[in-house]
Amino acid sequence: DRRKTDQGVTRNWLLAAGNAGGTITVWDVAQKIPRNYFRGSEHHIWAVQFSPDGSTLASCGRYKAKLWNVANGRQLLSIPVANTLPCLAFSPDGERLAVAAIKMHSPQYGVYLFETNSGAGIRSFRGLAGSVAKVWLSGNSRLLAALSSNWRVGIWETETGRLLNIL
């Protein structure tokens, strides 16, 4: 909830941050206090993102992407992907999660798309030479874009997995 007060300060604004020990803290920014702790990741947390409706938090780092209930800190889903997961992104409707895996100590790499309600894999996307550093899903979830470490952007169709362009 991002309602403005008379003083211009945002109420009910949450901020999530992960650490090297695998713990995520969700902060209430207005009150300047931790609201919840998410425990259960074995290693580093490299990326976190709230779902569009704010009820779920996704995290990734090593081995698995995880979905968490923001209200109570409970783990909803654990998705084994690959060894090193630097970034992730929700689709605008929150029903899909794109997770990038880099080729470090593991043969699995690329971008993977999952259903958030079941963790079922939909498709993997390959074609960029560098490690993926950022992923996005279009407003209608029909396109996926990924920025690689060598400054190339790949664009794929999500339904077919077809690489449309490298910019």
Side-chain angles (χ1 to χ4, degrees), residues 98-156:
V99 181
I102 62 174
K103 196 172 185 176
M104 179 185 281
H105 314 295
S106 174
Q108 291 90 6
Y109 66 96
V111 179
Y112 298 87
L113 191 60
F114 299 94
E115 294 286 346
T116 57
N117 62 350
S118 67
I122 297 171
R123 183 170 315 286
S124 61
F125 304 86
R126 297 218 170 96
L128 291 174
S131 298
V132 174
K134 184 76 177 162
V135 294
W136 301 270
L137 284 157
S138 66
N140 60 11
S141 297
R142 291 184 182 162
L143 299 175
L144 181 141
L147 170 68
S148 70
S149 60
N150 64 355
W151 300 106
R152 302 277 194 264
V153 175
I155 301 171
W156 294 264

Side-chain angles (χ1 to χ4, degrees), residues 31-160:
Q31 294 184 27
K32 300 178 185 171
I33 59 170
R35 182 185 238 188
N36 217 332
Y37 297 96
F38 301 65
R39 294 181 176 93
S41 293
E42 296 82 17
H43 301 284
H44 301 276
I45 303 295
W46 286 326
V48 293
Q49 184 176 16
F50 287 99
S51 63
D53 69 3
S55 66
T56 304
L57 181 75
S59 68
C60 67
R62 296 289 304 272
Y63 306 114
K64 297 174 185 169
K66 296 191 178 210
L67 297 178
W68 309 87
N69 181 311
V70 172
N72 62 25
R74 289 195 178 123
Q75 184 178 301
L76 301 170
L77 191 61
S78 180
I79 308 167
V81 183
N83 184 33
T84 306
L85 312 171
C87 58
L88 47 75
F90 275 103
S91 62
D93 61 8
E95 293 182 8
R96 292 180 172 182
L97 183 70
V99 181
I102 62 174
K103 196 172 185 176
M104 179 185 281
H105 314 295
S106 174
Q108 291 90 6
Y109 66 96
V111 179
Y112 298 87
L113 191 60
F114 299 94
E115 294 286 346
T116 57
N117 62 350
S118 67
I122 297 171
R123 183 170 315 286
S124 61
F125 304 86
R126 297 218 170 96
L128 291 174
S131 298
V132 174
K134 184 76 177 162
V135 294
W136 301 270
L137 284 157
S138 66
N140 60 11
S141 297
R142 291 184 182 162
L143 299 175
L144 181 141
L147 170 68
S148 70
S149 60
N150 64 355
W151 300 106
R152 302 277 194 264
V153 175
I155 301 171
W156 294 264
E157 289 179 337
T158 57
E159 295 307 314
T160 65

